[in-house]
Structures are given as C-alpha cells and as structure tokens.
Amino acid sequence: KQEVTQIPAALSVPEGENLVLNCSFTDSAIYNLQWFRQDPGKGLTSLLLIQSSQREQTSGRLNASLDKSSGRSTLYIAASQPGDSATYLCAVRSETGANNLFFGTGTRLTVIP
Amino acid sequence: DAGVIQSPRHEVTEMGQEVTLRCKPISGHNSLFWYRQTMMRGLELLIYFNNNVPIDDSGMPEDRFSAKMPNASFSTLKIQPSEPRDSAVYFCASSSYTGELFFGEGSRLTVL
C-alpha cells in the first residue's frame, strides 16, 4: 500500500523567506501527485497537479517538483506571505488502484509578519 | 463554475438519528469521492463513484453508512443510525479525466 509522508509536521518562517515543503512516497508507480492547501475550517484547495510524466509545475510563487525514482516531491514557495499560512497536503494517485488518492498528514505552515 | 457544493455545512444531531449529507459535483466531472477527516485519522476515503457507479466502498466504516449517486449532478451520504464516533468533517470531491481533484467546503457533523 502506498504510504505518503510529509516532514516537517509544522514550520514557522518569517515573512519574505523562501521555503520548501517535502513529500515522500513509497511506491514510485504513480499516476499523478497533487498539492493542496487547507485553511482552518475549510476544504482543500488544489494548488498544483503534476502528472507522472512531468518533472515540475509552476503557478505564481509556487513551484512543485516530482522525482518518481526517489519517491519525492517538493513544494517551493517564494517570498512567503502571512496569507500563505495554512496546512499543505500532498496526495499521490497510484497507477493501480484506479482513483484512490493517498494523502500525507500535512505540513502546517505559519508565516510570521 | 461554482465548484463542488456540499450541504449542510454544519449538522448537530443526537445519537440514533439519521443524517444525510449532500453533494453536487462540478459539472462535467465523471468521478465523485466522499472523504472523512478527523484529527486522529486525517483524511479517509469512504467511497468513490465513476460515471455514477460505485467503484470502491471499502472505506465505508460499517453498514450504518450508505452512499448513492442517482445522477451525474447529485450524491448523498447517509448515516443511519448515527453515533458520536461519526463526528467529523465529511468532504465531497470530484474530478474529471485529468485526475485533478476538487473539494467542497465540507459538512461538519457533530453527533451528541
């Protein structure tokens, strides 16, 4: 069974700093990987989707990379802002198992003004 | 598009009562998912549908839980009878052929 790990569980950074969130998975036979953010009391908002054939995706200040062979993905946030404070989750869809996504437990990010 | 729409947003009920949660997926999406989120267990997949057909319901906790998708624009998750341990946030999500998943705002259930 696919296992997804996110380290650290929590991270605090001063405003303006660039930061990297990590996601690792145990089975490299993936269909895609998706990064979400979740604000307290809210649903999950899709940030970036990387298909298995892609190496990275970018949206604004966000850049996500994927290294299937090593079972790793990173989410890079440039010039962090207090509004970036949220929990960030990665989810992996395996090639087998059809539509099931395996979620990490998330990294809770706090950007200090 | 309005996104995935869930109702009710909050539900407080007493043990033993029936609870029905509703979901309207994004128009044109062919897959629909029901998740449950708790502090202890994180996000758990309960069931998902492809083209209105239930594909995998292995995550449904027990027979008290049931889900239906009578058409492409509506799904329900029913708990009967409800128990305090069912208290959680229930999310509905949908996706198209690209596989990108979009979540609703969730239904927060409290069973007293």
Side-chain angles (χ1 to χ4, degrees), chain A:
Chain A
K1 180 186 172 184
Q2 178 76 268
E3 292 184 7
V4 182
T5 304
Q6 291 184 249
I7 296 174
L11 180 65
S12 290
V13 300
E15 181 177 1
E17 196 164 288
N18 302 325
L19 61 102
V20 174
L21 304 180
N22 297 296
C23 172
S24 60
F25 46 95
T26 55
D27 185 352
S28 61
I30 68 170
Y31 183 74
N32 62 34
L33 184 147
Q34 195 168 353
W35 282 94
F36 297 88
R37 70 173 278 169
Q38 185 175 27
D39 295 281
K42 299 288 188 180
L44 280 71
T45 299
S46 177
L47 296 174
L48 290 164
L49 173 73
I50 309 178
Q51 301 292 354
S52 62
S53 59
Q54 298 174 320
R55 298 280 296 182
E56 65 177 345
Q57 281 285 350
T58 298
S59 175
R61 294 182 295 108
L62 305 180
N63 176 277
S65 68
L66 174 64
D67 185 342
K68 279 177 47 178
S69 61
S70 66
R72 294 170 66 179
S73 175
T74 60
L75 179 66
Y76 174 83
I77 303 177
S80 58
Q81 303 170 357
D84 295 331
S85 298
T87 296
Y88 290 80
L89 298 103
C90 70
V92 173
R93 177 169 296 177
S94 292
E95 284 182 354
T96 58
N99 278 324
N100 197 4
L101 261 66
F102 295 90
F103 279 86
T105 51
T107 295
R108 188 173 68 254
L109 173 66
T110 302
V111 180
I112 304 165

Side-chain angles (χ1 to χ4, degrees), chain A residues 34 38 46 51 98-100, chain B residues 37 45 48 50 98 100-101:
Chain A
Q34 195 168 353
Q38 185 175 27
S46 177
Q51 301 292 354
N99 278 324
N100 197 4
Chain B
Q37 186 178 41
L45 178 67
Y48 76 87
N50 248 16
T98 65
E100 187 171 7
L101 203 60

